Amino acid sequence: TVTIKDDDAIPSMTLLVGSLNLNEDVGTTSTNVTVRLSAVSGKDVTATLTISGIATRDGDYTISETTIFIPAESSQTGSVTLTAIGDTFNELDETVTIDIDTVINATESGLQRRTVTILNDDAIPTVALSVDPITIGEDQGITVSNVTATLSAPSGRDITVTLIKTGT
């Protein structure tokens, strides 16, 4: 009887992201999220990803899968796709943080975390003021006039309008 002992080291795994910045176009922009093994494994390797950050899944981005599978003796890499979803909403840049959560048949090469920033491309809305009524007078019994600020488009940021009064 001959016994063959597998003395190959368990491969280590690193996390790579094709682009750390995605433009939030009205269309979509994508990047690959890849796990790379230090060597081809004789066993199936699975990496489960955890996604966090201030961007919201299915609102600001999509990810094709959160589990990456690398079949035994086939490759040193496996990938999924992270895609930014375009909108017309002025907002701050948003982040998607990707971590390797669990690994089967490999080891994580230290803490593997990457942050992708989705860059806002929408213009800051303009403000228009209206006054109703335009004229008020003590003798007419109208002493209140409403000033309304209207944005040209919705905004994901707080908008402050400071009014300055002039006249007598």
Side-chain angles (χ1 to χ4, degrees):
T1 301
V2 175
T3 302
I4 299 174
K5 182 180 178 186
D6 182 3
D7 61 355
D8 293 333
I10 295 174
S12 61
M13 178 180 289
T14 56
L15 180 65
L16 307 165
V17 175
S19 176
L20 294 177
N21 294 305
L22 296 178
N23 290 320
E24 178 207 62
D25 296 322
V26 174
T28 56
T29 55
S30 300
T31 190
N32 285 331
V33 177
T34 303
V35 292
R36 178 179 307 251
L37 299 175
S38 59
V40 173
S41 177
K43 297 180 181 179
D44 291 343
V45 175
T46 303
T48 303
L49 305 176
T50 299
I51 312 297
S52 60
I54 61 172
T56 56
R57 189 171 181 173
D58 298 325
D60 298 310
Y61 71 92
T62 61
I63 189 161
S64 58
E65 294 286 334
T66 56
T67 301
I68 299 174
F69 177 75
I70 303 172
E73 300 178 8
S74 66
S75 176
Q76 284 181 252
T77 63
S79 296
V80 295
T81 303
L82 177 73
T83 302
I85 297 174
D87 62 24
T88 57
F89 196 60
N90 177 262
E91 57 200 346
L92 298 173
D93 293 344
E94 298 166 306
T95 57
V96 179
T97 302
I98 305 156
D99 288 295
I100 295 177
D101 184 38
T102 56
V103 178
I104 298 172
N105 294 326
T107 60
E108 188 174 353
S109 181
L111 177 63
Q112 296 295 309
R113 175 180 295 151
R114 301 293 179 266
T115 299
V116 175
T117 302
I118 300 172
L119 304 170
N120 180 67
D121 67 343
D122 303 305
I124 295 173
T126 58
V127 177
L129 295 178
S130 61
V131 180
D132 183 37
I134 195 84
T135 303
I136 58 175
E138 295 174 30
D139 60 340
Q140 298 171 354
I142 301 173
T143 58
V144 175
S145 186
N146 294 312
V147 178
T148 303
T150 304
L151 296 177
S152 61
S155 180
R157 302 179 190 203
D158 292 339
I159 304 292
T160 301
V161 177
T162 303
L163 301 176
I164 300 172
K165 69 176 179 95
T166 60
T168 57

PDB file of all heavy atoms in Angstrom, residues 118-151:
ATOM      1  N   ILE A 118     -18.634  55.637  -4.923  1.00  0.00           N
ATOM      2  CA  ILE A 118     -19.507  55.974  -6.043  1.00  0.00           C
ATOM      3  C   ILE A 118     -19.563  57.497  -6.096  1.00  0.00           C
ATOM      4  O   ILE A 118     -20.048  58.148  -5.162  1.00  0.00           O
ATOM      5  CB  ILE A 118     -20.911  55.367  -5.865  1.00  0.00           C
ATOM      6  CG1 ILE A 118     -20.812  53.835  -5.783  1.00  0.00           C
ATOM      7  CG2 ILE A 118     -21.830  55.803  -7.011  1.00  0.00           C
ATOM      8  CD1 ILE A 118     -22.106  53.150  -5.428  1.00  0.00           C
ATOM      9  N   LEU A 119     -19.014  58.065  -7.158  1.00  0.00           N
ATOM     10  CA  LEU A 119     -18.875  59.511  -7.293  1.00  0.00           C
ATOM     11  C   LEU A 119     -20.151  60.128  -7.850  1.00  0.00           C
ATOM     12  O   LEU A 119     -20.597  59.756  -8.938  1.00  0.00           O
ATOM     13  CB  LEU A 119     -17.691  59.847  -8.198  1.00  0.00           C
ATOM     14  CG  LEU A 119     -16.345  59.250  -7.771  1.00  0.00           C
ATOM     15  CD1 LEU A 119     -15.296  59.448  -8.856  1.00  0.00           C
ATOM     16  CD2 LEU A 119     -15.893  59.847  -6.449  1.00  0.00           C
ATOM     17  N   ASN A 120     -20.731  61.062  -7.113  1.00  0.00           N
ATOM     18  CA  ASN A 120     -21.940  61.748  -7.566  1.00  0.00           C
ATOM     19  C   ASN A 120     -21.601  62.621  -8.767  1.00  0.00           C
ATOM     20  O   ASN A 120     -20.572  63.283  -8.804  1.00  0.00           O
ATOM     21  CB  ASN A 120     -22.507  62.613  -6.437  1.00  0.00           C
ATOM     22  CG  ASN A 120     -23.757  63.337  -6.872  1.00  0.00           C
ATOM     23  OD1 ASN A 120     -24.781  62.720  -7.122  1.00  0.00           O
ATOM     24  ND2 ASN A 120     -23.670  64.641  -6.991  1.00  0.00           N
ATOM     25  N   ASP A 121     -22.485  62.637  -9.754  1.00  0.00           N
ATOM     26  CA  ASP A 121     -22.255  63.463 -10.946  1.00  0.00           C
ATOM     27  C   ASP A 121     -23.404  64.422 -11.216  1.00  0.00           C
ATOM     28  O   ASP A 121     -23.473  65.030 -12.269  1.00  0.00           O
ATOM     29  CB  ASP A 121     -22.027  62.583 -12.182  1.00  0.00           C
ATOM     30  CG  ASP A 121     -23.266  61.802 -12.574  1.00  0.00           C
ATOM     31  OD1 ASP A 121     -24.190  61.676 -11.753  1.00  0.00           O
ATOM     32  OD2 ASP A 121     -23.322  61.311 -13.713  1.00  0.00           O
ATOM     33  N   ASP A 122     -24.312  64.562 -10.256  1.00  0.00           N
ATOM     34  CA  ASP A 122     -25.498  65.395 -10.464  1.00  0.00           C
ATOM     35  C   ASP A 122     -25.273  66.801  -9.924  1.00  0.00           C
ATOM     36  O   ASP A 122     -24.734  66.984  -8.840  1.00  0.00           O
ATOM     37  CB  ASP A 122     -26.716  64.752  -9.784  1.00  0.00           C
ATOM     38  CG  ASP A 122     -26.943  63.343 -10.311  1.00  0.00           C
ATOM     39  OD1 ASP A 122     -27.068  63.210 -11.531  1.00  0.00           O
ATOM     40  OD2 ASP A 122     -26.958  62.398  -9.509  1.00  0.00           O
ATOM     41  N   ALA A 123     -25.701  67.780 -10.704  1.00  0.00           N
ATOM     42  CA  ALA A 123     -25.506  69.186 -10.339  1.00  0.00           C
ATOM     43  C   ALA A 123     -26.323  69.558  -9.103  1.00  0.00           C
ATOM     44  O   ALA A 123     -27.399  68.995  -8.856  1.00  0.00           O
ATOM     45  CB  ALA A 123     -25.919  70.084 -11.507  1.00  0.00           C
ATOM     46  N   ILE A 124     -25.793  70.503  -8.351  1.00  0.00           N
ATOM     47  CA  ILE A 124     -26.532  71.042  -7.211  1.00  0.00           C
ATOM     48  C   ILE A 124     -27.709  71.833  -7.757  1.00  0.00           C
ATOM     49  O   ILE A 124     -27.551  72.630  -8.687  1.00  0.00           O
ATOM     50  CB  ILE A 124     -25.618  71.944  -6.346  1.00  0.00           C
ATOM     51  CG1 ILE A 124     -24.499  71.091  -5.731  1.00  0.00           C
ATOM     52  CG2 ILE A 124     -26.412  72.659  -5.266  1.00  0.00           C
ATOM     53  CD1 ILE A 124     -23.452  71.889  -5.001  1.00  0.00           C
ATOM     54  N   PRO A 125     -28.922  71.607  -7.239  1.00  0.00           N
ATOM     55  CA  PRO A 125     -30.084  72.314  -7.783  1.00  0.00           C
ATOM     56  C   PRO A 125     -30.010  73.814  -7.507  1.00  0.00           C
ATOM     57  O   PRO A 125     -29.358  74.263  -6.570  1.00  0.00           O
ATOM     58  CB  PRO A 125     -31.274  71.682  -7.057  1.00  0.00           C
ATOM     59  CG  PRO A 125     -30.714  70.989  -5.875  1.00  0.00           C
ATOM     60  CD  PRO A 125     -29.271  70.706  -6.147  1.00  0.00           C
ATOM     61  N   THR A 126     -30.697  74.568  -8.343  1.00  0.00           N
ATOM     62  CA  THR A 126     -30.791  76.016  -8.130  1.00  0.00           C
ATOM     63  C   THR A 126     -32.028  76.310  -7.288  1.00  0.00           C
ATOM     64  O   THR A 126     -32.934  75.485  -7.175  1.00  0.00           O
ATOM     65  CB  THR A 126     -30.889  76.766  -9.471  1.00  0.00           C
ATOM     66  OG1 THR A 126     -32.023  76.294 -10.180  1.00  0.00           O
ATOM     67  CG2 THR A 126     -29.634  76.556 -10.304  1.00  0.00           C
ATOM     68  N   VAL A 127     -32.050  77.500  -6.692  1.00  0.00           N
ATOM     69  CA  VAL A 127     -33.165  77.915  -5.837  1.00  0.00           C
ATOM     70  C   VAL A 127     -33.842  79.125  -6.463  1.00  0.00           C
ATOM     71  O   VAL A 127     -33.174  80.069  -6.886  1.00  0.00           O
ATOM     72  CB  VAL A 127     -32.667  78.288  -4.419  1.00  0.00           C
ATOM     73  CG1 VAL A 127     -33.812  78.783  -3.557  1.00  0.00           C
ATOM     74  CG2 VAL A 127     -31.974  77.107  -3.764  1.00  0.00           C
ATOM     75  N   ALA A 128     -35.166  79.091  -6.521  1.00  0.00           N
ATOM     76  CA  ALA A 128     -35.952  80.245  -6.972  1.00  0.00           C
ATOM     77  C   ALA A 128     -36.834  80.690  -5.809  1.00  0.00           C
ATOM     78  O   ALA A 128     -37.407  79.857  -5.096  1.00  0.00           O
ATOM     79  CB  ALA A 128     -36.812  79.868  -8.177  1.00  0.00           C
ATOM     80  N   LEU A 129     -36.909  81.991  -5.599  1.00  0.00           N
ATOM     81  CA  LEU A 129     -37.744  82.544  -4.536  1.00  0.00           C
ATOM     82  C   LEU A 129     -39.008  83.143  -5.126  1.00  0.00           C
ATOM     83  O   LEU A 129     -38.983  83.756  -6.194  1.00  0.00           O
ATOM     84  CB  LEU A 129     -36.997  83.635  -3.762  1.00  0.00           C
ATOM     85  CG  LEU A 129     -35.774  83.191  -2.961  1.00  0.00           C
ATOM     86  CD1 LEU A 129     -35.126  84.401  -2.297  1.00  0.00           C
ATOM     87  CD2 LEU A 129     -36.140  82.153  -1.921  1.00  0.00           C
ATOM     88  N   SER A 130     -40.109  82.976  -4.410  1.00  0.00           N
ATOM     89  CA  SER A 130     -41.362  83.641  -4.785  1.00  0.00           C
ATOM     90  C   SER A 130     -41.954  84.270  -3.522  1.00  0.00           C
ATOM     91  O   SER A 130     -41.736  83.786  -2.414  1.00  0.00           O
ATOM     92  CB  SER A 130     -42.343  82.651  -5.416  1.00  0.00           C
ATOM     93  OG  SER A 130     -42.674  81.622  -4.513  1.00  0.00           O
ATOM     94  N   VAL A 131     -42.676  85.365  -3.711  1.00  0.00           N
ATOM     95  CA  VAL A 131     -43.277  86.101  -2.593  1.00  0.00           C
ATOM     96  C   VAL A 131     -44.766  86.266  -2.891  1.00  0.00           C
ATOM     97  O   VAL A 131     -45.155  86.657  -3.991  1.00  0.00           O
ATOM     98  CB  VAL A 131     -42.613  87.491  -2.419  1.00  0.00           C
ATOM     99  CG1 VAL A 131     -43.244  88.245  -1.275  1.00  0.00           C
ATOM    100  CG2 VAL A 131     -41.109  87.343  -2.230  1.00  0.00           C
ATOM    101  N   ASP A 132     -45.610  85.976  -1.887  1.00  0.00           N
ATOM    102  CA  ASP A 132     -47.055  86.101  -2.078  1.00  0.00           C
ATOM    103  C   ASP A 132     -47.709  86.585  -0.781  1.00  0.00           C
ATOM    104  O   ASP A 132     -47.594  85.909   0.237  1.00  0.00           O
ATOM    105  CB  ASP A 132     -47.653  84.759  -2.482  1.00  0.00           C
ATOM    106  CG  ASP A 132     -49.144  84.862  -2.763  1.00  0.00           C
ATOM    107  OD1 ASP A 132     -49.572  85.892  -3.316  1.00  0.00           O
ATOM    108  OD2 ASP A 132     -49.859  83.900  -2.418  1.00  0.00           O
ATOM    109  N   PRO A 133     -48.374  87.688  -0.765  1.00  0.00           N
ATOM    110  CA  PRO A 133     -48.472  88.664  -1.843  1.00  0.00           C
ATOM    111  C   PRO A 133     -47.193  89.473  -1.944  1.00  0.00           C
ATOM    112  O   PRO A 133     -46.406  89.552  -1.006  1.00  0.00           O
ATOM    113  CB  PRO A 133     -49.661  89.536  -1.438  1.00  0.00           C
ATOM    114  CG  PRO A 133     -49.682  89.479   0.045  1.00  0.00           C
ATOM    115  CD  PRO A 133     -49.183  88.099   0.409  1.00  0.00           C
ATOM    116  N   ILE A 134     -46.988  90.100  -3.083  1.00  0.00           N
ATOM    117  CA  ILE A 134     -45.775  90.867  -3.346  1.00  0.00           C
ATOM    118  C   ILE A 134     -45.764  92.185  -2.589  1.00  0.00           C
ATOM    119  O   ILE A 134     -44.709  92.704  -2.252  1.00  0.00           O
ATOM    120  CB  ILE A 134     -45.577  91.071  -4.867  1.00  0.00           C
ATOM    121  CG1 ILE A 134     -44.158  91.540  -5.175  1.00  0.00           C
ATOM    122  CG2 ILE A 134     -46.563  92.044  -5.437  1.00  0.00           C
ATOM    123  CD1 ILE A 134     -43.185  90.454  -5.280  1.00  0.00           C
ATOM    124  N   THR A 135     -46.955  92.725  -2.307  1.00  0.00           N
ATOM    125  CA  THR A 135     -47.051  94.001  -1.607  1.00  0.00           C
ATOM    126  C   THR A 135     -47.905  93.818  -0.357  1.00  0.00           C
ATOM    127  O   THR A 135     -48.969  93.197  -0.418  1.00  0.00           O
ATOM    128  CB  THR A 135     -47.708  95.071  -2.503  1.00  0.00           C
ATOM    129  OG1 THR A 135     -46.947  95.176  -3.707  1.00  0.00           O
ATOM    130  CG2 THR A 135     -47.743  96.416  -1.821  1.00  0.00           C
ATOM    131  N   ILE A 136     -47.443  94.364   0.737  1.00  0.00           N
ATOM    132  CA  ILE A 136     -48.248  94.364   1.961  1.00  0.00           C
ATOM    133  C   ILE A 136     -48.268  95.785   2.513  1.00  0.00           C
ATOM    134  O   ILE A 136     -47.351  96.567   2.266  1.00  0.00           O
ATOM    135  CB  ILE A 136     -47.719  93.379   3.025  1.00  0.00           C
ATOM    136  CG1 ILE A 136     -46.260  93.695   3.418  1.00  0.00           C
ATOM    137  CG2 ILE A 136     -47.833  91.950   2.549  1.00  0.00           C
ATOM    138  CD1 ILE A 136     -45.740  92.843   4.547  1.00  0.00           C
ATOM    139  N   GLY A 137     -49.307  96.112   3.184  1.00  0.00           N
ATOM    140  CA  GLY A 137     -49.408  97.458   3.751  1.00  0.00           C
ATOM    141  C   GLY A 137     -50.232  97.439   5.021  1.00  0.00           C
ATOM    142  O   GLY A 137     -51.148  96.640   5.180  1.00  0.00           O
ATOM    143  N   GLU A 138     -49.890  98.321   5.905  1.00  0.00           N
ATOM    144  CA  GLU A 138     -50.594  98.390   7.180  1.00  0.00           C
ATOM    145  C   GLU A 138     -52.068  98.739   6.998  1.00  0.00           C
ATOM    146  O   GLU A 138     -52.927  98.192   7.676  1.00  0.00           O
ATOM    147  CB  GLU A 138     -49.946  99.451   8.068  1.00  0.00           C
ATOM    148  CG  GLU A 138     -48.543  99.134   8.472  1.00  0.00           C
ATOM    149  CD  GLU A 138     -47.922 100.281   9.234  1.00  0.00           C
ATOM    150  OE1 GLU A 138     -48.646 101.026   9.925  1.00  0.00           O
ATOM    151  OE2 GLU A 138     -46.705 100.450   9.139  1.00  0.00           O
ATOM    152  N   ASP A 139     -52.347  99.638   6.075  1.00  0.00           N
ATOM    153  CA  ASP A 139     -53.721 100.113   5.915  1.00  0.00           C
ATOM    154  C   ASP A 139     -54.617  99.125   5.171  1.00  0.00           C
ATOM    155  O   ASP A 139     -55.830  99.271   5.150  1.00  0.00           O
ATOM    156  CB  ASP A 139     -53.746 101.476   5.224  1.00  0.00           C
ATOM    157  CG  ASP A 139     -53.111 101.436   3.839  1.00  0.00           C
ATOM    158  OD1 ASP A 139     -52.331 100.488   3.575  1.00  0.00           O
ATOM    159  OD2 ASP A 139     -53.405 102.332   3.040  1.00  0.00           O
ATOM    160  N   GLN A 140     -54.042  98.065   4.536  1.00  0.00           N
ATOM    161  CA  GLN A 140     -54.843  97.086   3.801  1.00  0.00           C
ATOM    162  C   GLN A 140     -55.203  95.875   4.658  1.00  0.00           C
ATOM    163  O   GLN A 140     -55.888  94.964   4.207  1.00  0.00           O
ATOM    164  CB  GLN A 140     -54.092  96.612   2.553  1.00  0.00           C
ATOM    165  CG  GLN A 140     -53.828  97.742   1.577  1.00  0.00           C
ATOM    166  CD  GLN A 140     -52.888  97.296   0.459  1.00  0.00           C
ATOM    167  OE1 GLN A 140     -52.370  96.199   0.475  1.00  0.00           O
ATOM    168  NE2 GLN A 140     -52.676  98.183  -0.505  1.00  0.00           N
ATOM    169  N   GLY A 141     -54.705  95.805   5.881  1.00  0.00           N
ATOM    170  CA  GLY A 141     -54.978  94.680   6.751  1.00  0.00           C
ATOM    171  C   GLY A 141     -54.134  93.447   6.439  1.00  0.00           C
ATOM    172  O   GLY A 141     -54.293  92.417   7.066  1.00  0.00           O
ATOM    173  N   ILE A 142     -53.267  93.544   5.446  1.00  0.00           N
ATOM    174  CA  ILE A 142     -52.381  92.417   5.105  1.00  0.00           C
ATOM    175  C   ILE A 142     -51.000  92.763   5.640  1.00  0.00           C
ATOM    176  O   ILE A 142     -50.353  93.693   5.170  1.00  0.00           O
ATOM    177  CB  ILE A 142     -52.308  92.193   3.583  1.00  0.00           C
ATOM    178  CG1 ILE A 142     -53.702  91.911   3.021  1.00  0.00           C
ATOM    179  CG2 ILE A 142     -51.352  91.045   3.262  1.00  0.00           C
ATOM    180  CD1 ILE A 142     -53.735  91.854   1.510  1.00  0.00           C
ATOM    181  N   THR A 143     -50.560  92.022   6.631  1.00  0.00           N
ATOM    182  CA  THR A 143     -49.255  92.326   7.227  1.00  0.00           C
ATOM    183  C   THR A 143     -48.292  91.154   7.125  1.00  0.00           C
ATOM    184  O   THR A 143     -47.209  91.200   7.690  1.00  0.00           O
ATOM    185  CB  THR A 143     -49.430  92.701   8.717  1.00  0.00           C
ATOM    186  OG1 THR A 143     -50.072  91.622   9.382  1.00  0.00           O
ATOM    187  CG2 THR A 143     -50.236  93.982   8.865  1.00  0.00           C
ATOM    188  N   VAL A 144     -48.691  90.110   6.424  1.00  0.00           N
ATOM    189  CA  VAL A 144     -47.836  88.930   6.283  1.00  0.00           C
ATOM    190  C   VAL A 144     -47.684  88.606   4.794  1.00  0.00           C
ATOM    191  O   VAL A 144     -48.651  88.622   4.044  1.00  0.00           O
ATOM    192  CB  VAL A 144     -48.441  87.706   7.016  1.00  0.00           C
ATOM    193  CG1 VAL A 144     -47.612  86.466   6.770  1.00  0.00           C
ATOM    194  CG2 VAL A 144     -48.570  87.983   8.500  1.00  0.00           C
ATOM    195  N   SER A 145     -46.462  88.320   4.405  1.00  0.00           N
ATOM    196  CA  SER A 145     -46.184  87.878   3.048  1.00  0.00           C
ATOM    197  C   SER A 145     -45.371  86.591   3.164  1.00  0.00           C
ATOM    198  O   SER A 145     -44.454  86.497   3.983  1.00  0.00           O
ATOM    199  CB  SER A 145     -45.394  88.952   2.305  1.00  0.00           C
ATOM    200  OG  SER A 145     -45.231  88.591   0.960  1.00  0.00           O
ATOM    201  N   ASN A 146     -45.699  85.577   2.390  1.00  0.00           N
ATOM    202  CA  ASN A 146     -44.993  84.293   2.419  1.00  0.00           C
ATOM    203  C   ASN A 146     -43.885  84.290   1.377  1.00  0.00           C
ATOM    204  O   ASN A 146     -44.128  84.575   0.206  1.00  0.00           O
ATOM    205  CB  ASN A 146     -45.960  83.138   2.143  1.00  0.00           C
ATOM    206  CG  ASN A 146     -46.974  82.989   3.248  1.00  0.00           C
ATOM    207  OD1 ASN A 146     -46.617  82.975   4.418  1.00  0.00           O
ATOM    208  ND2 ASN A 146     -48.236  82.897   2.877  1.00  0.00           N
ATOM    209  N   VAL A 147     -42.684  83.921   1.796  1.00  0.00           N
ATOM    210  CA  VAL A 147     -41.546  83.759   0.903  1.00  0.00           C
ATOM    211  C   VAL A 147     -41.309  82.261   0.770  1.00  0.00           C
ATOM    212  O   VAL A 147     -41.125  81.559   1.762  1.00  0.00           O
ATOM    213  CB  VAL A 147     -40.286  84.464   1.454  1.00  0.00           C
ATOM    214  CG1 VAL A 147     -39.102  84.241   0.513  1.00  0.00           C
ATOM    215  CG2 VAL A 147     -40.547  85.944   1.671  1.00  0.00           C
ATOM    216  N   THR A 148     -41.324  81.766  -0.476  1.00  0.00           N
ATOM    217  CA  THR A 148     -41.171  80.338  -0.727  1.00  0.00           C
ATOM    218  C   THR A 148     -39.908  80.103  -1.550  1.00  0.00           C
ATOM    219  O   THR A 148     -39.699  80.755  -2.575  1.00  0.00           O
ATOM    220  CB  THR A 148     -42.396  79.776  -1.491  1.00  0.00           C
ATOM    221  OG1 THR A 148     -43.572  80.061  -0.730  1.00  0.00           O
ATOM    222  CG2 THR A 148     -42.273  78.288  -1.716  1.00  0.00           C
ATOM    223  N   ALA A 149     -39.078  79.167  -1.095  1.00  0.00           N
ATOM    224  CA  ALA A 149     -37.895  78.748  -1.847  1.00  0.00           C
ATOM    225  C   ALA A 149     -38.227  77.434  -2.544  1.00  0.00           C
ATOM    226  O   ALA A 149     -38.688  76.487  -1.902  1.00  0.00           O
ATOM    227  CB  ALA A 149     -36.702  78.577  -0.918  1.00  0.00           C
ATOM    228  N   THR A 150     -38.004  77.369  -3.860  1.00  0.00           N
ATOM    229  CA  THR A 150     -38.300  76.172  -4.642  1.00  0.00           C
ATOM    230  C   THR A 150     -37.027  75.701  -5.336  1.00  0.00           C
ATOM    231  O   THR A 150     -36.348  76.489  -6.000  1.00  0.00           O
ATOM    232  CB  THR A 150     -39.388  76.470  -5.700  1.00  0.00           C
ATOM    233  OG1 THR A 150     -40.542  76.987  -5.035  1.00  0.00           O
ATOM    234  CG2 THR A 150     -39.761  75.214  -6.463  1.00  0.00           C
ATOM    235  N   LEU A 151     -36.703  74.394  -5.185  1.00  0.00           N
ATOM    236  CA  LEU A 151     -35.522  73.823  -5.833  1.00  0.00           C
ATOM    237  C   LEU A 151     -35.855  73.409  -7.262  1.00  0.00           C
ATOM    238  O   LEU A 151     -36.968  72.965  -7.544  1.00  0.00           O
ATOM    239  CB  LEU A 151     -35.023  72.607  -5.063  1.00  0.00           C
ATOM    240  CG  LEU A 151     -34.507  72.846  -3.648  1.00  0.00           C
ATOM    241  CD1 LEU A 151     -34.126  71.517  -3.000  1.00  0.00           C
ATOM    242  CD2 LEU A 151     -33.310  73.776  -3.670  1.00  0.00           C
TER     243      LEU A 151
END
